[in-house]
Amino acid sequence: MALKTCIIIAGTTAVGKTSVAIALAQHFKTAIVSADSRQCYRELDIGVAKPTEAQLAQVKHYFINSHSITDDVNAGMFEHYALQAVTDIFREHDIAIMVGGTGLYIRAFCEGMDQMPEISGRIRDEINTNYSTGGLAWLQQEIREKDPDWYAFGEIQNPQRIMRALEVMLSSGKSIRSFQQQANKATRDFNIIKIGLSLPRAQLYGHINNRVDEMIAAGLEKEVASLLPFRNLNALQTVGYKELFACMDGTHNRALAIEHIKRNTRHYAKRQLTWFKRDEKFHWISPVDFNQLIKYLHNLV
């Protein structure tokens, strides 16, 4: 019996993953598993570039609107969720589509992760409280002292990632890197095909800047204002929300906040690309070359 296949569509933010994944799912008459660490939250819409209601109606999606911002969502949890999702899809289809830009989630799905330690609620509350007063500088200093190994390689401009690393170190006494880099990779009973979407940098950055303008026009500021009471949750330590929270505090004016969203999104895209380029199993293609992509895939499935 031939193995089932999961086709992974990855790449940076604003590169065009959603439309390509939906077109692929329609071509293969199958469903999609999102691998985006923010689109799973019901309370977040505009700022996470969630698929539209029309797009969600076209193809069944898993891990979209599946959780609340108060839930503890992480790569280990995603691994179990996504494996169950593709199992469900494979009951009726030979092919499943996964799409997203969260590299750690995709790696967890493909290779597995060591079981993450239980996080103390007291430790999480202390980190959130200290972050609310000391900001990113406090987080960076803490992680540099408590987990220099992670500090040397981690996303030190990303508050959510730093807080997660601190939680694990203070709860377990071990670096989160020790859980993410297990020696024995998991094996899956299905094939995995990795597709990376890429665009010339100037074109991608143009897409990013335009998307931010479209988000503002669509009401991102109103969405962020509605989330002010939850601003210290891990789920909201992300580009597009933290800059507008600062604006609402009076730290930045509106124009500067929007410019910071664009700049920080460009930086995030650069980190995403660096992550995915390290994986030599990705086949890279332009999102506009859909016919070429179909031809490539039909030679493999």
Side-chain angles (χ1 to χ4, degrees), residues 62-95:
Y62 293 80
F63 209 61
I64 297 283
N65 297 325
S66 54
H67 293 76
S68 169
I69 53 175
T70 58
D71 294 335
D72 184 17
V73 179
N74 55 59
M77 187 232 75
F78 175 78
E79 176 191 356
H80 295 292
Y81 179 103
L83 288 174
Q84 183 58 57
V86 295
T87 298
D88 291 345
I89 294 170
F90 288 153
R91 289 193 182 102
E92 297 183 10
H93 309 284
D94 291 333
I95 292 172

mmCIF file of all heavy atoms in Angstrom, residues 62-95:
data_model
loop_
_atom_site.group_PDB
_atom_site.id
_atom_site.type_symbol
_atom_site.label_atom_id
_atom_site.label_comp_id
_atom_site.label_asym_id
_atom_site.label_seq_id
_atom_site.Cartn_x
_atom_site.Cartn_y
_atom_site.Cartn_z
ATOM 1 N N TYR A 62 -7.574 23.132 9.537
ATOM 2 C CA TYR A 62 -7.326 22.769 10.919
ATOM 3 C C TYR A 62 -6.360 23.787 11.534
ATOM 4 O O TYR A 62 -5.503 24.342 10.839
ATOM 5 C CB TYR A 62 -6.682 21.382 11.016
ATOM 6 C CG TYR A 62 -7.556 20.228 10.604
ATOM 7 C CD1 TYR A 62 -7.744 19.915 9.259
ATOM 8 C CD2 TYR A 62 -8.199 19.441 11.557
ATOM 9 C CE1 TYR A 62 -8.540 18.849 8.868
ATOM 10 C CE2 TYR A 62 -9.001 18.365 11.182
ATOM 11 C CZ TYR A 62 -9.157 18.076 9.840
ATOM 12 O OH TYR A 62 -9.951 17.015 9.465
ATOM 13 N N PHE A 63 -6.484 24.028 12.828
ATOM 14 C CA PHE A 63 -5.615 24.940 13.590
ATOM 15 C C PHE A 63 -5.823 26.402 13.195
ATOM 16 O O PHE A 63 -4.942 27.229 13.306
ATOM 17 C CB PHE A 63 -4.136 24.553 13.449
ATOM 18 C CG PHE A 63 -3.295 24.932 14.658
ATOM 19 C CD1 PHE A 63 -3.584 24.409 15.894
ATOM 20 C CD2 PHE A 63 -2.216 25.799 14.540
ATOM 21 C CE1 PHE A 63 -2.808 24.738 17.012
ATOM 22 C CE2 PHE A 63 -1.431 26.139 15.643
ATOM 23 C CZ PHE A 63 -1.729 25.613 16.876
ATOM 24 N N ILE A 64 -7.018 26.717 12.731
ATOM 25 C CA ILE A 64 -7.454 28.102 12.542
ATOM 26 C C ILE A 64 -8.650 28.305 13.477
ATOM 27 O O ILE A 64 -9.600 27.522 13.445
ATOM 28 C CB ILE A 64 -7.889 28.387 11.090
ATOM 29 C CG1 ILE A 64 -6.723 28.204 10.117
ATOM 30 C CG2 ILE A 64 -8.477 29.789 10.981
ATOM 31 C CD1 ILE A 64 -5.717 29.342 10.090
ATOM 32 N N ASN A 65 -8.593 29.341 14.323
ATOM 33 C CA ASN A 65 -9.663 29.610 15.293
ATOM 34 C C ASN A 65 -9.911 28.417 16.223
ATOM 35 O O ASN A 65 -11.031 28.213 16.698
ATOM 36 C CB ASN A 65 -10.976 29.983 14.576
ATOM 37 C CG ASN A 65 -10.863 31.262 13.782
ATOM 38 O OD1 ASN A 65 -10.168 32.194 14.190
ATOM 39 N ND2 ASN A 65 -11.530 31.324 12.636
ATOM 40 N N SER A 66 -8.885 27.664 16.484
ATOM 41 C CA SER A 66 -9.026 26.447 17.289
ATOM 42 C C SER A 66 -8.740 26.665 18.767
ATOM 43 O O SER A 66 -9.064 25.804 19.594
ATOM 44 C CB SER A 66 -8.079 25.368 16.749
ATOM 45 O OG SER A 66 -6.744 25.870 16.698
ATOM 46 N N HIS A 67 -8.137 27.812 19.128
ATOM 47 C CA HIS A 67 -7.724 28.050 20.502
ATOM 48 C C HIS A 67 -8.014 29.489 20.915
ATOM 49 O O HIS A 67 -8.292 30.345 20.072
ATOM 50 C CB HIS A 67 -6.223 27.763 20.669
ATOM 51 C CG HIS A 67 -5.864 26.324 20.513
ATOM 52 N ND1 HIS A 67 -5.805 25.703 19.280
ATOM 53 C CD2 HIS A 67 -5.568 25.369 21.425
ATOM 54 C CE1 HIS A 67 -5.491 24.428 19.453
ATOM 55 N NE2 HIS A 67 -5.338 24.204 20.733
ATOM 56 N N SER A 68 -7.911 29.729 22.212
ATOM 57 C CA SER A 68 -8.059 31.076 22.760
ATOM 58 C C SER A 68 -6.686 31.627 23.137
ATOM 59 O O SER A 68 -5.744 30.859 23.400
ATOM 60 C CB SER A 68 -8.956 31.048 24.003
ATOM 61 O OG SER A 68 -8.891 32.293 24.688
ATOM 62 N N ILE A 69 -6.567 32.952 23.187
ATOM 63 C CA ILE A 69 -5.291 33.566 23.580
ATOM 64 C C ILE A 69 -4.920 33.217 25.017
ATOM 65 O O ILE A 69 -3.756 33.372 25.408
ATOM 66 C CB ILE A 69 -5.327 35.098 23.421
ATOM 67 C CG1 ILE A 69 -6.530 35.705 24.150
ATOM 68 C CG2 ILE A 69 -5.319 35.489 21.950
ATOM 69 C CD1 ILE A 69 -6.562 37.218 24.125
ATOM 70 N N THR A 70 -5.863 32.706 25.807
ATOM 71 C CA THR A 70 -5.553 32.295 27.183
ATOM 72 C C THR A 70 -5.032 30.862 27.252
ATOM 73 O O THR A 70 -4.599 30.419 28.313
ATOM 74 C CB THR A 70 -6.804 32.420 28.073
ATOM 75 O OG1 THR A 70 -7.853 31.610 27.527
ATOM 76 C CG2 THR A 70 -7.271 33.868 28.145
ATOM 77 N N ASP A 71 -5.056 30.141 26.138
ATOM 78 C CA ASP A 71 -4.566 28.760 26.110
ATOM 79 C C ASP A 71 -3.044 28.730 25.988
ATOM 80 O O ASP A 71 -2.432 29.633 25.417
ATOM 81 C CB ASP A 71 -5.172 27.993 24.923
ATOM 82 C CG ASP A 71 -6.668 27.792 25.053
ATOM 83 O OD1 ASP A 71 -7.167 27.794 26.201
ATOM 84 O OD2 ASP A 71 -7.338 27.646 24.015
ATOM 85 N N ASP A 72 -2.441 27.674 26.509
ATOM 86 C CA ASP A 72 -0.999 27.471 26.384
ATOM 87 C C ASP A 72 -0.744 26.701 25.094
ATOM 88 O O ASP A 72 -0.906 25.479 25.040
ATOM 89 C CB ASP A 72 -0.462 26.706 27.594
ATOM 90 C CG ASP A 72 1.057 26.550 27.554
ATOM 91 O OD1 ASP A 72 1.709 27.297 26.792
ATOM 92 O OD2 ASP A 72 1.589 25.679 28.274
ATOM 93 N N VAL A 73 -0.367 27.410 24.053
ATOM 94 C CA VAL A 73 -0.107 26.799 22.748
ATOM 95 C C VAL A 73 1.393 26.844 22.484
ATOM 96 O O VAL A 73 2.018 27.900 22.589
ATOM 97 C CB VAL A 73 -0.868 27.544 21.630
ATOM 98 C CG1 VAL A 73 -0.576 26.917 20.277
ATOM 99 C CG2 VAL A 73 -2.360 27.532 21.902
ATOM 100 N N ASN A 74 1.972 25.693 22.147
ATOM 101 C CA ASN A 74 3.412 25.628 21.893
ATOM 102 C C ASN A 74 3.701 24.543 20.866
ATOM 103 O O ASN A 74 2.786 23.849 20.398
ATOM 104 C CB ASN A 74 4.180 25.368 23.197
ATOM 105 C CG ASN A 74 3.686 24.131 23.926
ATOM 106 O OD1 ASN A 74 3.714 23.033 23.383
ATOM 107 N ND2 ASN A 74 3.209 24.305 25.159
ATOM 108 N N ALA A 75 4.967 24.394 20.516
ATOM 109 C CA ALA A 75 5.345 23.470 19.441
ATOM 110 C C ALA A 75 5.029 22.017 19.787
ATOM 111 O O ALA A 75 4.619 21.240 18.928
ATOM 112 C CB ALA A 75 6.827 23.634 19.116
ATOM 113 N N GLY A 76 5.250 21.638 21.043
ATOM 114 C CA GLY A 76 4.948 20.263 21.432
ATOM 115 C C GLY A 76 3.465 19.949 21.312
ATOM 116 O O GLY A 76 3.080 18.872 20.841
ATOM 117 N N MET A 77 2.622 20.906 21.733
ATOM 118 C CA MET A 77 1.180 20.731 21.598
ATOM 119 C C MET A 77 0.781 20.676 20.127
ATOM 120 O O MET A 77 -0.060 19.870 19.728
ATOM 121 C CB MET A 77 0.470 21.888 22.301
ATOM 122 C CG MET A 77 -1.044 21.748 22.374
ATOM 123 S SD MET A 77 -1.877 23.217 21.754
ATOM 124 C CE MET A 77 -1.662 23.055 20.005
ATOM 125 N N PHE A 78 1.423 21.544 19.312
ATOM 126 C CA PHE A 78 1.097 21.551 17.888
ATOM 127 C C PHE A 78 1.442 20.209 17.240
ATOM 128 O O PHE A 78 0.691 19.722 16.383
ATOM 129 C CB PHE A 78 1.857 22.668 17.168
ATOM 130 C CG PHE A 78 1.639 22.646 15.671
ATOM 131 C CD1 PHE A 78 0.468 23.135 15.112
ATOM 132 C CD2 PHE A 78 2.601 22.101 14.823
ATOM 133 C CE1 PHE A 78 0.253 23.092 13.742
ATOM 134 C CE2 PHE A 78 2.395 22.054 13.448
ATOM 135 C CZ PHE A 78 1.222 22.554 12.908
ATOM 136 N N GLU A 79 2.555 19.607 17.624
ATOM 137 C CA GLU A 79 2.933 18.312 17.045
ATOM 138 C C GLU A 79 1.797 17.309 17.201
ATOM 139 O O GLU A 79 1.398 16.644 16.225
ATOM 140 C CB GLU A 79 4.196 17.788 17.726
ATOM 141 C CG GLU A 79 4.609 16.399 17.242
ATOM 142 C CD GLU A 79 5.689 15.760 18.100
ATOM 143 O OE1 GLU A 79 6.179 16.428 19.040
ATOM 144 O OE2 GLU A 79 6.033 14.590 17.848
ATOM 145 N N HIS A 80 1.258 17.194 18.411
ATOM 146 C CA HIS A 80 0.182 16.225 18.650
ATOM 147 C C HIS A 80 -1.081 16.603 17.886
ATOM 148 O O HIS A 80 -1.741 15.744 17.299
ATOM 149 C CB HIS A 80 -0.102 16.134 20.149
ATOM 150 C CG HIS A 80 1.041 15.584 20.949
ATOM 151 N ND1 HIS A 80 1.465 14.275 20.847
ATOM 152 C CD2 HIS A 80 1.880 16.173 21.842
ATOM 153 C CE1 HIS A 80 2.502 14.067 21.649
ATOM 154 N NE2 HIS A 80 2.766 15.206 22.259
ATOM 155 N N TYR A 81 -1.411 17.885 17.893
ATOM 156 C CA TYR A 81 -2.607 18.353 17.192
ATOM 157 C C TYR A 81 -2.492 18.057 15.698
ATOM 158 O O TYR A 81 -3.430 17.528 15.077
ATOM 159 C CB TYR A 81 -2.790 19.856 17.426
ATOM 160 C CG TYR A 81 -3.993 20.448 16.713
ATOM 161 C CD1 TYR A 81 -5.160 20.751 17.413
ATOM 162 C CD2 TYR A 81 -3.971 20.711 15.342
ATOM 163 C CE1 TYR A 81 -6.266 21.294 16.761
ATOM 164 C CE2 TYR A 81 -5.079 21.245 14.686
ATOM 165 C CZ TYR A 81 -6.215 21.528 15.397
ATOM 166 O OH TYR A 81 -7.304 22.051 14.741
ATOM 167 N N ALA A 82 -1.357 18.421 15.102
ATOM 168 C CA ALA A 82 -1.196 18.290 13.656
ATOM 169 C C ALA A 82 -1.157 16.830 13.220
ATOM 170 O O ALA A 82 -1.684 16.474 12.160
ATOM 171 C CB ALA A 82 0.069 19.016 13.204
ATOM 172 N N LEU A 83 -0.529 15.974 14.020
ATOM 173 C CA LEU A 83 -0.502 14.549 13.676
ATOM 174 C C LEU A 83 -1.912 13.964 13.679
ATOM 175 O O LEU A 83 -2.254 13.148 12.821
ATOM 176 C CB LEU A 83 0.404 13.788 14.644
ATOM 177 C CG LEU A 83 1.906 14.039 14.482
ATOM 178 C CD1 LEU A 83 2.680 13.350 15.598
ATOM 179 C CD2 LEU A 83 2.402 13.560 13.119
ATOM 180 N N GLN A 84 -2.738 14.393 14.634
ATOM 181 C CA GLN A 84 -4.123 13.926 14.659
ATOM 182 C C GLN A 84 -4.891 14.481 13.471
ATOM 183 O O GLN A 84 -5.717 13.786 12.867
ATOM 184 C CB GLN A 84 -4.797 14.353 15.961
ATOM 185 C CG GLN A 84 -6.227 13.851 16.106
ATOM 186 C CD GLN A 84 -6.332 12.338 16.028
ATOM 187 O OE1 GLN A 84 -5.695 11.630 16.804
ATOM 188 N NE2 GLN A 84 -7.120 11.829 15.089
ATOM 189 N N ALA A 85 -4.599 15.746 13.112
ATOM 190 C CA ALA A 85 -5.296 16.368 11.983
ATOM 191 C C ALA A 85 -5.007 15.631 10.675
ATOM 192 O O ALA A 85 -5.924 15.357 9.900
ATOM 193 C CB ALA A 85 -4.904 17.841 11.869
ATOM 194 N N VAL A 86 -3.729 15.326 10.423
ATOM 195 C CA VAL A 86 -3.426 14.632 9.165
ATOM 196 C C VAL A 86 -3.968 13.203 9.191
ATOM 197 O O VAL A 86 -4.342 12.665 8.145
ATOM 198 C CB VAL A 86 -1.916 14.645 8.829
ATOM 199 C CG1 VAL A 86 -1.425 16.054 8.572
ATOM 200 C CG2 VAL A 86 -1.081 13.960 9.882
ATOM 201 N N THR A 87 -4.016 12.593 10.359
ATOM 202 C CA THR A 87 -4.639 11.276 10.467
ATOM 203 C C THR A 87 -6.103 11.355 10.039
ATOM 204 O O THR A 87 -6.597 10.499 9.300
ATOM 205 C CB THR A 87 -4.540 10.737 11.907
ATOM 206 O OG1 THR A 87 -3.161 10.577 12.252
ATOM 207 C CG2 THR A 87 -5.251 9.398 12.041
ATOM 208 N N ASP A 88 -6.800 12.401 10.489
ATOM 209 C CA ASP A 88 -8.196 12.597 10.087
ATOM 210 C C ASP A 88 -8.306 12.802 8.577
ATOM 211 O O ASP A 88 -9.179 12.225 7.914
ATOM 212 C CB ASP A 88 -8.787 13.819 10.811
ATOM 213 C CG ASP A 88 -8.961 13.598 12.300
ATOM 214 O OD1 ASP A 88 -8.909 12.427 12.732
ATOM 215 O OD2 ASP A 88 -9.144 14.593 13.025
ATOM 216 N N ILE A 89 -7.423 13.626 8.028
ATOM 217 C CA ILE A 89 -7.461 13.902 6.584
ATOM 218 C C ILE A 89 -7.180 12.636 5.790
ATOM 219 O O ILE A 89 -7.838 12.356 4.776
ATOM 220 C CB ILE A 89 -6.451 15.017 6.229
ATOM 221 C CG1 ILE A 89 -6.869 16.341 6.868
ATOM 222 C CG2 ILE A 89 -6.338 15.174 4.704
ATOM 223 C CD1 ILE A 89 -5.826 17.434 6.779
ATOM 224 N N PHE A 90 -6.214 11.846 6.240
ATOM 225 C CA PHE A 90 -5.812 10.647 5.505
ATOM 226 C C PHE A 90 -6.885 9.563 5.510
ATOM 227 O O PHE A 90 -6.800 8.605 4.736
ATOM 228 C CB PHE A 90 -4.508 10.085 6.078
ATOM 229 C CG PHE A 90 -3.280 10.906 5.756
ATOM 230 C CD1 PHE A 90 -2.182 10.889 6.607
ATOM 231 C CD2 PHE A 90 -3.221 11.684 4.611
ATOM 232 C CE1 PHE A 90 -1.049 11.641 6.309
ATOM 233 C CE2 PHE A 90 -2.096 12.431 4.309
ATOM 234 C CZ PHE A 90 -0.998 12.409 5.162
ATOM 235 N N ARG A 91 -7.884 9.674 6.357
ATOM 236 C CA ARG A 91 -8.979 8.692 6.323
ATOM 237 C C ARG A 91 -9.755 8.776 5.010
ATOM 238 O O ARG A 91 -10.310 7.784 4.547
ATOM 239 C CB ARG A 91 -9.931 8.925 7.506
ATOM 240 C CG ARG A 91 -9.344 8.546 8.854
ATOM 241 C CD ARG A 91 -10.431 8.485 9.928
ATOM 242 N NE ARG A 91 -9.847 8.170 11.221
ATOM 243 C CZ ARG A 91 -9.615 9.076 12.179
ATOM 244 N NH1 ARG A 91 -9.959 10.332 11.980
ATOM 245 N NH2 ARG A 91 -9.075 8.715 13.310
ATOM 246 N N GLU A 92 -9.775 9.985 4.417
ATOM 247 C CA GLU A 92 -10.538 10.165 3.183
ATOM 248 C C GLU A 92 -9.688 10.593 1.997
ATOM 249 O O GLU A 92 -10.145 10.532 0.861
ATOM 250 C CB GLU A 92 -11.636 11.223 3.415
ATOM 251 C CG GLU A 92 -12.658 10.823 4.461
ATOM 252 C CD GLU A 92 -13.750 11.876 4.599
ATOM 253 O OE1 GLU A 92 -13.810 12.791 3.761
ATOM 254 O OE2 GLU A 92 -14.544 11.766 5.559
ATOM 255 N N HIS A 93 -8.440 11.032 2.266
ATOM 256 C CA HIS A 93 -7.610 11.569 1.193
ATOM 257 C C HIS A 93 -6.199 10.994 1.270
ATOM 258 O O HIS A 93 -5.715 10.664 2.352
ATOM 259 C CB HIS A 93 -7.529 13.099 1.286
ATOM 260 C CG HIS A 93 -8.865 13.770 1.391
ATOM 261 N ND1 HIS A 93 -9.716 13.918 0.311
ATOM 262 C CD2 HIS A 93 -9.496 14.326 2.454
ATOM 263 C CE1 HIS A 93 -10.807 14.546 0.706
ATOM 264 N NE2 HIS A 93 -10.707 14.794 1.996
ATOM 265 N N ASP A 94 -5.537 10.899 0.122
ATOM 266 C CA ASP A 94 -4.158 10.415 0.086
ATOM 267 C C ASP A 94 -3.154 11.525 0.367
ATOM 268 O O ASP A 94 -1.993 11.259 0.668
ATOM 269 C CB ASP A 94 -3.839 9.806 -1.286
ATOM 270 C CG ASP A 94 -4.590 8.511 -1.533
ATOM 271 O OD1 ASP A 94 -4.924 7.824 -0.543
ATOM 272 O OD2 ASP A 94 -4.854 8.198 -2.711
ATOM 273 N N ILE A 95 -3.603 12.776 0.242
ATOM 274 C CA ILE A 95 -2.710 13.923 0.385
ATOM 275 C C ILE A 95 -3.307 14.910 1.380
ATOM 276 O O ILE A 95 -4.517 15.155 1.382
ATOM 277 C CB ILE A 95 -2.492 14.620 -0.977
ATOM 278 C CG1 ILE A 95 -1.697 13.704 -1.910
ATOM 279 C CG2 ILE A 95 -1.757 15.960 -0.813
ATOM 280 C CD1 ILE A 95 -1.590 14.223 -3.330
#
